[in-house]
């Protein structure tokens, strides 16, 4: 009787410990891709009973070099606004703003396959983080490949070194991110792995609608983009609002892609499976969302994180 009681108490304690609320302090140094991937992170954390404190340093299209150069400029000329983020602080001040648990960096997606663009800038950022936020763990946010039908892959004569397909871009960026993570002793947040896994899944993967011709399409007609993880084709108004044109964004994540990315981040930061998390974005099919949760879990588990 005493034995069974002890076992029950141990099991109860283990469950209670696993469900213990966590507070994670996160600083992201990135671009629109980091904004995409963390869009639903706070919602997932709240649904999981946790608390996220997140400071996001976003510059559209920014590479490692853009952030490194901004930090150097601020160090040389503290009063120059070009060295500041929208918060009015430089990178050094943002690093010292809180006791961050994690600080993340990432490469610009267009350069992600080319390791020659990573250094020495990523190393400079790592050193700055180590100096001004020594308690923080460095994480490398692995960005994702563009959609299979993105115009980048339609060039008849790609420039040397330019990826010709989604898979080639994914393989290239994966090798580059793995290499920089090893050099900087940082862990990879495998969002790129997860999106590629989902995009190429036999059941849930995106399939290009070959019947759609963008040259002859008339508003509001769009192709079948079921299970796309990227924004894709859309009718967009011009800046002056006077004209609506057909536009293609095979780079940025849509709701499904953002949710998948956030599930990966959630697992890495909170050390807890996203599978079964109760938060679902509006209009995201429950069965598809479950697949995205499971894909995120597989991607994180494959990395041993």
């Amino acid at each position: 009787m005493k034995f069974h009681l002890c076992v029950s108490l141990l099991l109860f304690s283990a469950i209670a410990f696993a469900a213990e609320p966590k507070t994670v302090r996160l600083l992201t140094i990135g671009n629109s891709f980091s904004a995409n991937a963390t869009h639903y992170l706070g919602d997932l954390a709240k649904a999981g009973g946790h608390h996220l404190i997140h400071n996001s340093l976003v510059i559209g299209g920014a590479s490692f070099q853009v952030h490194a150069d901004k930090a150097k400029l601020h160090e040389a000329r503290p009063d120059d606004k070009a060295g500041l983020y929208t918060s009015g602080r430089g990178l050094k001040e943002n690093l010292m703003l809180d006791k961050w648990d994690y600080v993340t960096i990432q490469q610009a997606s267009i350069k992600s396959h080319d390791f020659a663009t990573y250094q020495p800038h990523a190393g400079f950022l790592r050193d700055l983080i180590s100096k001004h936020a020594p308690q923080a763990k460095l994480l490398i946010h692995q960005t994702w490949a563009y959609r299979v039908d993105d115009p980048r892959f339609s060039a008849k004569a790609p420039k040397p070194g330019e990826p010709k397909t989604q898979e080639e871009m994914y393989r290239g960026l994966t090798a580059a991110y793995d290499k920089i993570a090893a050099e900087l002793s940082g862990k990879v947040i495998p969002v790129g792995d997860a999106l590629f896994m989902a995009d190429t899944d036999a059941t849930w993967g995106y399939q290009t609608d070959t019947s759609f011709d963008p040259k002859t399409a008339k508003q509001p007609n769009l192709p079948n983009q079921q299970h796309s993880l990227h924004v894709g084709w859309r009718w967009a108004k011009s800046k002056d609002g006077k004209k609506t044109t057909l536009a293609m964004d095979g780079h940025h994540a849509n709701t499904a892609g953002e949710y998948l990315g956030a599930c990966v981040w959630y697992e890495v930061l909170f050390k807890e499976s996203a599978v079964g998390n109760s938060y679902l974005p509006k209009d995201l099919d429950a069965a598809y969302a479950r697949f995205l949760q499971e894909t995120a879990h597989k991607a994180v588990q494959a990395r041993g994180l």
Side-chain angles (χ1 to χ4, degrees):
M1 184 67 176
K2 289 183 178 180
F3 173 77
H4 291 296
L5 179 60
C6 289
V7 171
S8 297
L9 287 172
L10 285 171
L11 288 173
F12 177 80
S13 298
I15 293 170
F17 179 78
E20 184 179 348
K22 299 176 183 176
T23 296
V24 167
R25 290 174 167 79
L26 169 69
L27 175 65
T28 53
I29 304 169
N31 51 46
S32 58
F33 274 43
S34 58
N36 276 178
T38 58
H39 187 172
Y40 295 115
L41 181 58
D43 298 302
L44 288 166
K46 184 177 180 180
H50 307 301
H51 182 50
L52 175 70
I53 298 171
H54 180 200
N55 188 15
S56 176
L57 303 181
V58 172
I59 302 174
S63 62
F64 287 126
Q65 183 174 0
V66 168
H67 286 286
D69 287 350
K70 181 180 279 288
K72 292 173 184 177
L73 175 61
H74 181 58
E75 187 70 23
R77 300 200 299 272
D79 295 330
D80 191 331
K81 291 183 178 180
L84 306 177
Y85 291 90
T86 54
S87 63
R89 291 183 290 266
L91 181 53
K92 179 175 72 173
E93 286 75 27
N94 276 287
L95 288 168
M96 299 169 65
L97 188 63
D98 203 340
K99 293 293 184 182
W100 306 113
D101 297 302
Y102 299 98
V103 177
T104 71
I105 59 175
Q106 66 186 70
Q107 180 57 306
S109 64
I110 197 73
K111 299 180 178 182
S112 59
H113 67 288
D114 183 5
F115 186 79
T117 66
Y118 282 55
Q119 291 286 43
H121 320 294
F124 173 84
L125 292 173
R126 187 273 313 274
D127 293 344
L128 201 67
I129 293 165
S130 297
K131 181 178 180 180
H132 298 295
Q135 78 291 337
K137 293 181 180 178
L138 176 68
L139 294 175
I140 318 295
H141 174 210
Q142 178 203 33
T143 56
W144 52 89
Y146 299 162
R147 202 167 82 171
V148 65
D149 55 350
D150 185 86
R152 183 181 201 182
F153 308 130
S154 62
K156 293 182 179 179
K159 296 179 180 178
E162 179 72 1
K164 304 178 186 65
T165 64
Q166 180 193 60
E167 181 172 358
E168 192 171 318
M169 181 178 177
Y170 166 67
R171 301 298 177 195
L173 70 85
T174 298
Y177 274 112
D178 287 350
K179 186 174 181 180
I180 198 63
E183 288 190 6
L184 303 185
S185 298
K187 298 289 186 181
V188 171
I189 305 175
V191 178
D193 292 349
L195 262 74
F196 188 73
M197 288 170 63
D199 242 346
T200 56
D201 184 80
T203 301
W204 297 97
Y206 168 74
Q207 299 292 327
T208 303
D209 183 353
T210 56
S211 67
F212 180 74
D213 185 354
K215 295 179 181 179
T216 59
K218 297 184 182 298
Q219 190 178 0
N221 293 336
L222 288 170
N224 179 357
Q225 299 183 102
Q226 185 182 28
H227 298 157
S228 174
L229 299 169
H230 302 77
V231 174
W233 291 105
R234 71 199 190 285
W235 291 98
K237 287 188 176 181
S238 58
K239 291 182 178 180
D240 59 11
K242 296 180 179 179
K243 188 178 181 181
T244 301
T245 57
L246 183 64
M248 169 59 161
D249 181 357
H251 298 191
H252 295 94
N254 60 10
T255 297
E258 288 184 330
Y259 185 67
L260 175 56
C263 285
V264 174
W265 279 68
Y266 177 81
E267 293 217 359
V268 173
L269 298 183
F270 291 97
K271 308 302 180 185
E272 181 176 289
S273 175
V275 179
N277 189 288
S278 62
Y279 177 74
L280 298 181
K282 185 180 178 181
D283 299 328
L284 189 62
D285 175 74
Y288 185 43
R290 178 74 179 200
F291 162 74
L292 296 176
Q293 290 179 347
E294 292 173 349
T295 302
H297 185 66
K298 289 176 183 176
V300 173
Q301 291 293 300
R303 291 270 181 172
L305 299 172

